[in-house]
Amino acid sequence: EPEVTQTPSHQVTQMGQEVILRCVPISNHLYFYWYRQILGQKVEFLVSFYNNEISEKSEIFDDQFSVERPDGSNFTLKIRSTKLEDSAMYFCASSPGQGETQYFGPGTRLLVL
Amino acid sequence: AQSVTQLGSHVSVSEGALVLLRCNYSSSVPPYLFWYVQYPNQGLQLLLKYTSAATLVKGINGFEAEFKKSETSFHLTKPSAHMSDAAEYFCAVSGAGNEKLTFGTGTRLTIIP
């Protein structure tokens, strides 16, 4: 069964460093998403992406964040200058169409020191 | 705007007993409602979803949920708990045609042998 994959599973970085979280969505899906979950808190929407552009973003998704689909398979989330409060589990998801079921990856646990 | 409230961050039931996980929603538009499950070290897996068809929705692993508009609820039930049901369960809402999922804080289900 096709699944969303994410790499790395864990990442430790120093405050101020750039990180890139990678996701491979399900191959025939058209909509892509990033969510995050700070330890002990809700899963929060960050951004949705369709047709090579951002279709919606939350207030969390400020200028420090960017997303890219550099090729036909990868979908990346970049944090330019990490802060301590960026420490969280980051989930990628994809769906075949608008409003259809979102399929989630296993997540990347980011720790900013 | 949409939101969900999950009552009970931790629920324990005996093996073979009824599982009831509560979710109440708030939505300014007709909602789509979802239950996701997260097993340790895995991603979010869709259990079931309501998208304005039948109000009683059956999902995987014997779970079901009933949409009650008058109570703004979408509680998850399973008649007989199994040890393999131990996991974290998330209720989520989106608006019709809206891509963003808004999650509750999750309920950790423990099964007592």
Side-chain angles (χ1 to χ4, degrees):
Chain A
E1 183 176 333
E3 58 184 19
V4 177
T5 59
Q6 290 185 243
T7 53
S9 58
H10 294 78
Q11 173 119 28
V12 181
T13 190
Q14 296 291 323
M15 190 171 56
Q17 294 296 304
E18 174 183 287
V19 295
I20 298 176
L21 309 183
R22 302 180 192 280
C23 169
V24 179
I26 295 173
S27 63
N28 62 343
H29 285 189
L30 301 177
Y31 289 79
F32 313 111
Y33 312 86
W34 284 101
Y35 293 81
R36 78 172 187 190
Q37 184 181 30
I38 295 172
L39 189 63
Q41 298 185 25
K42 295 183 181 185
V43 177
E44 302 172 291
F45 169 80
L46 291 178
V47 66
S48 59
F49 191 86
Y50 169 72
N51 200 26
N52 281 321
E53 60 183 27
I54 291 173
S55 49
E56 187 175 356
K57 62 183 181 179
S58 72
E59 61 276 8
I60 301 168
F61 195 88
D62 61 21
D63 292 344
Q64 292 298 314
F65 291 87
S66 63
V67 289
E68 193 178 31
R69 187 156 163 82
D71 52 41
S73 59
N74 290 285
F75 180 51
T76 62
L77 175 69
K78 182 192 292 186
I79 309 175
R80 287 190 185 80
S81 178
T82 50
K83 307 181 186 71
L84 296 177
E85 55 265 36
D86 294 328
S87 295
M89 179 74 92
Y90 288 81
F91 293 105
C92 174
S94 68
S95 69
Q98 188 180 37
E100 297 193 46
T101 297
Q102 294 182 27
Y103 295 86
F104 283 77
T108 292
R109 186 169 295 283
L110 175 66
L111 178 61
V112 182
L113 301 176
Chain B
Q2 287 99 29
S3 66
V4 291
T5 302
Q6 291 185 242
L7 296 176
S9 58
H10 291 85
V11 170
S12 296
V13 301
S14 297
E15 190 175 14
L18 171 72
V19 175
L20 170 61
L21 304 183
R22 299 179 187 274
C23 173
N24 288 89
Y25 71 91
S26 172
S27 179
S28 55
V29 296
Y32 288 176
L33 292 156
F34 306 81
W35 277 99
Y36 280 86
V37 61
Q38 186 179 31
Y39 299 103
N41 301 315
Q42 295 187 28
L44 298 166
Q45 179 183 5
L46 182 70
L47 272 179
L48 48 80
K49 64 180 180 181
Y50 166 79
T51 56
S52 77
T55 56
L56 182 63
V57 182
K58 295 188 183 300
I60 62 171
N61 302 337
F63 284 93
E64 62 182 37
E66 186 172 9
F67 172 71
K68 292 186 177 181
K69 185 177 179 180
S70 61
E71 299 177 8
T72 61
S73 68
F74 190 59
H75 301 330
L76 181 71
T77 60
K78 181 173 180 177
S80 177
H82 192 273
M83 295 301 294
S84 61
D85 295 327
E88 183 128 24
Y89 292 79
F90 294 92
C91 183
V93 64
S94 71
N98 190 342
E99 301 160 22
K100 177 177 75 173
L101 288 174
T102 300
F103 284 86
T105 50
T107 298
R108 184 168 297 279
L109 177 64
T110 299
I111 310 298
I112 304 166

